[in-house]
Amino acid sequence: MRDIRRGAMVTVFGLLFLSGFSALVLQVVWMRELSLLFGATAQAAAATLAAFFLGLAAGSAYWGRRSRRITRPLRSYALLEVGVLVAGLGYFLLAPAFAAQYGALYSHLAEPAPGLLVGIKLLLALLLLSPAAFFMGGSLPVLSAWLVRHPAALGRLVPLLYGVNTAGAAIGALSAAFLLPPLLGYDGSYLLALALAGGIALTAWWLGGRGSGQVHDPVQESLPQLPAGAPAAGALPQAWLRGLAFLSGFVALALEVLWTRMFAQVLQNSVYSYAVILVVFLLALAAGSFAAGWLARRRLPAVPTLVGLLCAAALLVALTPKLFFWLTDGLGYVGAGRDWPDYLLTLGLAAVAILAGPTLVLGVVFPYLWKVAEAGLRSAGEQVGGLLALNTLGAILGSLAAGFLLLEWLGLWRAIQWLAALYLAAAVLLATLSGAPAVAGARHRPRLAPVLVLAPVLGFLLLLSALDAGRLPVVRTDPVRRAETLLEVREGGAGTVAVVRRGEHLGIKVDNHYTLGSTRGHGLQQRQAHFPLLLHPAPDRVFFLGMGTGITAGAALAHPVEEVVAAELLGDVIDLAGKYFRPYANGLFEDPRVRLLKEDGRHHLSATDETYDVIIGDLFVPWKRGNAALYSLEHFRHVAKRLAPGGLFAQWVPLYQVTEQEFGSIARTFTEVFPHVTLWRGDFLPDGPIVALVGRLDAAPLEPAAVLRRARALRADAVAGDTEPQSSVLPDPDTPPLLLYYAGNVGRAADLLAGYPLNTDDRPRLQLSAARAQRAEAAGRRGWLVGEPLIDFFRRMLAAAPVADDPYLARLAPQQRRAVPAGLDIFAARLADARGDAEGAQALLARASRALATDAPGDRDVGDRDPGGLDPGQLRRELEALRAERDAAIEALERRIERLQGG
């Protein structure tokens, strides 16, 4: 019989492990799905997390109180898992209905009442998530009621349950990032987690009917009984237990937010990097819970033990900024030059070295409170549920405070120190409380209190001296080699945004190693607006998905548009761009035609009912967390719905950060939505190129005369206003005509893309492949789609969709179309020149010259010069102009090289 009972205990621990696994997978999917519905802003993420945690807290408190009346805990646990299953399936029914109504709410509230909209998001998230979370929150209290038959066993057994559940959550986090989505997709992962909940329910129900309705543990039965109504010596008042439970949740989750922001300054910042940090954090918490169970078996005085734990946790937490700064060599890029497995291993080891110690001690504090609570008069389930609910409420407020208050008020390093100081303050109060006779007990006299107070006081002295990290920089600059100067930095839950001066030019950095743009590359940035706008016959309303420095969006104001709308995810980017980049943004921050939205651009396009003539997507590095969703099938469909009749969508792609595999997937996905797609080069930089996929829903051949008129008017306005940044990118007799940038008709080259996979929200293949490719390129094993591979791709594109048969060029004379292959030759000549092959460059230029020199006079409708005047000498001058363009783009190239080399 004892073997059966021991087997039942092992089985229940296994079920609780799977329960933690399932719950974390569900949480990951919920957080991701609601970020797509509500937007990827920090406020939307906070609303979703708060709704989930509120459900957990309510479930812990409710089921903890009910546990005293539960006679068959295992059967009740089975029903809780059934509740998770049913509520989880209900999400599939409710989410589409909410999504259908959400657009109307967004259109009416987004700009006039953003705070009210956040409140509505919280309410919707509560309706979607809290039912399942409510049932999840009952697992530990109900199983504690089954396992703990004697109050004195509370601290010995419940930490083991809590630790096993947390370990299951850690493995769930690992699987939800690396394993399940690539294999099953997010919908499949969600259904697997629900199937696990169903399997857990069946097993627990079966186990509860085999005479295992209550555990019989000889160890528990041998423990001494307390007299009724007589709390043990050394017991803490319930108010203190509750306060410490709340504080431990507050500090732990606030630190998770802050430590994640800390590592974001030195990481690749893909979803996988964050997953590694979360897994280390959860495993350390689980280890701390097991350590708490071990401590509970020792005959240690409760108050001194808690004071020691609080002091140790505080000092280890306070040490993390300096240890982090030292191990990363002053905020240097972690894992630079390492391949994918080595990068993950390096990151994991760094996270363990910096976070494992403090997190483990943090993880001891809360579970050890169940040992202290043994002297209380409440049932096991009630005690566990009550403290767990308060701990979860503290976690909600801690994560919100760290993301929205502490980072902005104190900064990263001071915020970490402030949380350490909270634990030291709690230790001081607890030490003074130890002098009370009811707490000190017979064996621990009040004279112990001054000794206990001394430890946290010494901790405060260390916090203000040796462990003071307030002066550590949060942004890495190089004043010697790069002549960099930090002008201003803003810290927030969504990112650390800095304005850095390099020589005479300004740039914006996000999270230390990701540069949004620079004034030195303003010509290239403006071209990202000019090209799409010139390709539309009469654009009135323009939308920019991403703003950055504002230089690109500001360039649109040089066109006769009625409205420019730019959405930027980070509000600090808008504020700092408006403060430092006004002279370069062509009136973006003053022009009444402009609306700047502090919003997720994808979210805006999916929720609004507005339409636009031209939508322009910024350069999004696909391996960065969240960016793969901006290349997904569902996003492209949202964009298509927001196009006015005759409208076009231009999505710029940084080829210097994608392989041909990733670009093929993006282009294939793009063509699934837009039947008419053309490809345009954004520059003549073969080692750092960008391209634009330009999609339309209806066929609209290029109108060469209209393009020429618009370009001439644009140039005339720029010259009249003496606007140097504008004129630097406009067609004139010394720069190539627009057709030289045309790379081909992607819509006519379907066979070229047929083998590439679609990138969808459910199966974001780009998310994993791009992150792996970035590390493989850094290690020298793979190359980006630049240089010779890119030229080969362009040639295959023209072979698959010949210029002579291209319907987009139908209104050009055959001689005029020769500008397209001539542009590719000039592009290839740039590469040959950069490689030191002067003879090859001259040969390519000569071929381009022969193609252009035979053009008919009608080509004047395409370019901004007389084609009859073209000769090899002019093309050589043109090459010099392109070299000047290269020099003007040095800043952009240096920024790209930094990314390629990992910082």
Side-chain angles (χ1 to χ4, degrees):
M1 182 64 70
R2 183 177 299 177
D3 291 339
I4 293 176
R5 292 164 186 158
R6 185 180 295 114
M9 291 180 66
V10 171
T11 303
V12 167
F13 275 96
L15 292 178
L16 197 57
F17 178 91
L18 293 176
S19 181
F21 179 97
S22 171
L24 210 293
V25 172
L26 290 174
Q27 181 188 351
V28 167
V29 176
W30 283 330
M31 292 291 291
R32 186 178 185 278
E33 291 298 314
L34 290 186
S35 73
L36 296 177
L37 174 60
F38 295 155
T41 62
Q43 292 82 1
T48 303
L49 186 66
F52 179 73
F53 274 33
L54 282 171
L56 289 178
S60 298
Y62 176 81
W63 295 107
R65 288 194 301 270
R66 280 191 57 87
S67 64
R68 186 189 292 270
R69 298 189 296 274
I70 292 176
T71 57
R72 308 193 75 175
L74 285 182
R75 289 282 173 94
S76 297
Y77 172 56
L79 293 176
L80 288 175
E81 291 295 328
V82 171
V84 173
L85 172 61
V86 172
L89 290 174
Y91 173 87
F92 273 125
L93 301 176
L94 292 176
F98 286 163
Q101 301 300 320
Y102 177 75
L105 293 171
Y106 178 84
S107 296
H108 287 90
L109 299 175
E111 294 185 62
L116 178 58
L117 184 62
V118 171
I120 291 175
K121 290 178 182 179
L122 175 59
L123 178 61
L124 293 177
L126 282 169
L127 293 173
L128 288 169
L129 306 187
S130 59
F134 177 78
F135 293 114
M136 291 177 185
S139 298
L140 196 63
V142 168
L143 287 180
S144 298
W146 172 78
L147 185 62
V148 180
R149 299 187 62 240
H150 191 290
L154 193 68
R156 184 171 67 89
L157 294 177
V158 176
L160 297 182
L161 286 173
Y162 189 69
V164 166
N165 188 254
T166 305
I171 303 305
L174 189 69
S175 300
F178 290 92
L179 181 63
L180 296 180
L183 291 177
L184 305 175
Y186 279 98
D187 287 347
S189 302
Y190 189 82
L191 292 175
L192 174 64
L194 292 180
L196 272 179
I200 293 167
L202 289 174
T203 306
W205 186 269
W206 171 78
L207 198 61
R210 295 183 68 246
S212 302
Q214 182 68 56
V215 135
H216 298 281
D217 186 351
V219 176
Q220 294 188 56
E221 294 168 359
S222 67
L223 293 172
Q225 298 289 333
L226 289 173
L236 280 179
Q238 281 292 321
W240 271 89
L241 282 174
R242 294 168 183 165
L244 288 173
F246 179 89
L247 179 65
S248 64
F250 182 94
V251 171
L253 260 291
L255 283 170
E256 182 191 4
V257 171
L258 296 177
W259 283 337
T260 301
R261 296 296 326 132
M262 181 176 74
F263 270 94
Q265 308 310 307
V266 298
L267 294 183
Q268 181 195 61
N269 285 341
S270 67
V271 65
Y272 306 100
S273 299
Y274 289 108
V276 170
I277 295 170
L278 177 60
V279 169
V280 170
F281 185 81
L282 291 174
L283 286 177
L285 286 181
S289 191
F290 296 140
W294 178 85
L295 277 179
R297 291 173 171 80
R298 313 277 81 78
R299 295 186 176 181
L300 300 173
V303 172
T305 302
L306 276 175
V307 170
L309 288 172
L310 291 171
C311 290
L315 294 178
L316 287 172
V317 166
L319 180 63
T320 55
K322 288 198 169 184
L323 180 60
F324 176 83
F325 199 79
W326 175 66
L327 287 178
T328 60
D329 191 25
L331 302 179
Y333 196 90
V334 170
R338 295 182 181 272
D339 204 349
W340 180 246
D342 290 341
Y343 167 75
L344 293 178
L345 178 61
T346 302
L347 171 56
L349 292 176
V352 168
I354 296 167
L355 303 183
T359 307
L360 187 148
V361 181
L362 288 169
V364 175
V365 174
F366 173 61
Y368 190 74
L369 294 179
W370 284 314
K371 169 63 179 176
V372 183
E374 289 176 351
L377 302 179
R378 306 169 77 186
S379 69
E382 192 173 3
Q383 193 73 277
V384 169
L387 293 181
L388 189 59
L390 288 168
N391 183 262
T392 307
L393 287 174
I396 297 172
L397 293 181
S399 62
L400 295 177
F404 296 105
L405 300 177
L406 298 183
L407 280 169
E408 295 183 11
W409 292 355
L410 303 175
L412 176 62
W413 308 128
R414 290 295 187 194
I416 293 174
Q417 288 188 299
W418 185 81
L419 292 171
L422 272 185
Y423 258 23
L424 291 175
V428 170
L429 294 175
L430 192 58
T432 57
L433 178 68
S434 69
V439 176
R443 297 172 55 195
H444 307 288
R445 301 299 179 189
R447 63 175 177 271
L448 185 61
V451 178
L452 291 180
V453 171
L454 182 62
V457 169
L458 290 175
F460 272 116
L461 292 176
L462 285 173
L463 200 61
L464 297 172
S465 56
L467 297 179
D468 182 13
R471 295 183 179 180
L472 290 179
V474 75
V475 176
R476 182 185 177 106
T477 58
D478 188 345
V480 177
R481 292 184 301 170
R482 298 178 179 175
E484 289 182 331
T485 304
L486 178 64
L487 299 182
E488 187 172 346
V489 61
R490 302 272 185 93
E491 296 183 72
T496 299
V497 183
V499 177
V500 176
R501 180 183 296 280
R502 180 182 293 184
E504 298 179 355
H505 299 280
L506 301 178
I508 292 184
K509 285 184 177 183
V510 175
D511 291 337
N512 213 28
H513 291 279
Y514 188 78
T515 303
L516 289 183
S518 166
T519 57
R520 189 165 190 174
H522 64 259
L524 297 175
Q525 293 176 62
Q526 289 175 325
R527 188 174 295 164
Q528 291 173 233
H530 287 315
F531 278 16
L533 289 170
L534 286 172
L535 294 177
H536 191 285
D540 291 327
R541 305 187 72 239
V542 186
F543 181 83
F544 286 90
L545 196 106
M547 190 198 81
T549 61
I551 294 174
T552 299
L557 297 172
H559 296 255
V561 298
E562 294 180 0
E563 184 179 34
V564 172
V565 182
E568 173 56 52
L569 183 62
L570 300 178
D572 287 334
V573 169
I574 296 179
D575 295 339
L576 291 177
K579 182 176 180 179
Y580 290 95
F581 290 83
R582 284 178 186 267
Y584 310 96
N586 196 36
L588 182 72
F589 302 100
E590 301 87 16
D591 198 306
R593 294 177 292 170
V594 176
R595 286 166 50 209
L596 300 180
L597 305 179
K598 296 181 181 180
E599 183 57 84
D600 176 358
R602 167 177 167 148
H603 172 237
H604 174 78
L605 291 173
S606 66
T608 187
D609 57 1
E610 298 177 350
T611 59
Y612 305 94
D613 298 301
V614 176
I615 298 176
I616 300 174
D618 203 354
L619 292 165
F620 301 117
V621 176
W623 47 258
K624 194 172 184 292
R625 185 171 65 165
N627 281 2
L630 298 174
Y631 294 113
S632 73
L633 183 70
E634 292 78 3
H635 169 58
F636 292 153
R637 285 173 176 165
H638 293 320
V639 173
K641 292 178 181 178
R642 301 278 69 84
L643 287 177
L648 64 85
F649 171 45
Q651 177 58 64
W652 290 96
V653 182
L655 295 184
Y656 56 86
Q657 283 290 298
V658 299
T659 65
E660 184 173 338
Q661 177 71 22
E662 281 74 57
F663 179 72
S665 178
I666 293 170
R668 161 85 192 286
T669 306
F670 198 89
T671 57
E672 283 291 309
V673 177
F674 297 97
H676 307 283
V677 181
T678 54
L679 184 67
W680 296 81
R681 287 181 289 272
D683 51 43
F684 280 85
L685 304 173
D687 287 326
I690 63 174
V691 295
L693 289 163
V694 178
R696 299 173 184 265
L697 297 177
D698 51 354
L702 181 67
E703 294 282 357
V707 171
L708 179 60
R709 285 194 302 269
R710 295 265 313 284
R712 283 175 173 167
L714 191 64
R715 180 175 180 273
D717 290 343
V719 173
D722 195 24
T723 309
E724 187 277 330
Q726 300 287 359
S727 62
S728 66
V729 297
L730 298 179
D732 62 45
D734 294 325
T735 59
L738 187 61
L739 272 180
L740 293 178
Y741 292 88
Y742 184 70
N745 194 322
V746 181
R748 303 277 291 182
D751 293 342
L752 192 64
L753 306 174
Y756 296 108
L758 292 176
N759 182 56
T760 67
D761 287 344
D762 180 48
R763 291 181 178 268
R765 292 177 172 87
L766 196 63
Q767 180 174 277
L768 179 59
S769 66
R772 288 179 177 271
Q774 196 261 353
R775 301 315 314 162
E777 195 281 336
R781 289 199 311 104
R782 295 182 67 180
W784 300 129
L785 187 54
V786 299
E788 289 292 350
L790 176 58
I791 292 172
D792 178 67
F793 179 84
F794 285 149
R795 286 171 177 158
R796 284 185 282 128
M797 175 69 66
L798 292 180
V803 172
D805 302 326
D806 190 343
Y808 183 68
L809 306 179
R811 296 182 181 175
L812 276 72
Q815 298 90 340
Q816 295 173 326
R817 300 183 188 187
R818 296 176 185 173
V820 175
L824 179 54
D825 282 339
I826 295 173
F827 187 86
R830 284 295 307 274
L831 177 64
D833 182 66
R835 299 290 189 270
D837 183 8
E839 184 177 346
Q842 289 294 329
L844 288 165
L845 286 174
R847 186 165 67 181
S849 174
R850 289 193 297 272
L852 295 173
T854 59
D855 286 345
D859 191 44
R860 296 180 184 182
D861 288 338
V862 182
D864 193 18
R865 56 182 153 180
D866 178 8
L870 289 173
D871 57 27
Q874 181 174 340
L875 283 175
R876 279 192 289 271
R877 291 191 297 274
E878 189 170 89
L879 179 59
E880 291 302 319
L882 291 173
R883 286 174 179 162
E885 176 188 300
R886 176 192 60 196
D887 295 338
I890 286 177
E891 177 70 19
L893 286 174
E894 288 178 348
R895 188 169 68 252
R896 295 169 188 177
I897 292 170
E898 288 177 7
R899 295 172 184 166
L900 301 180
Q901 295 176 342

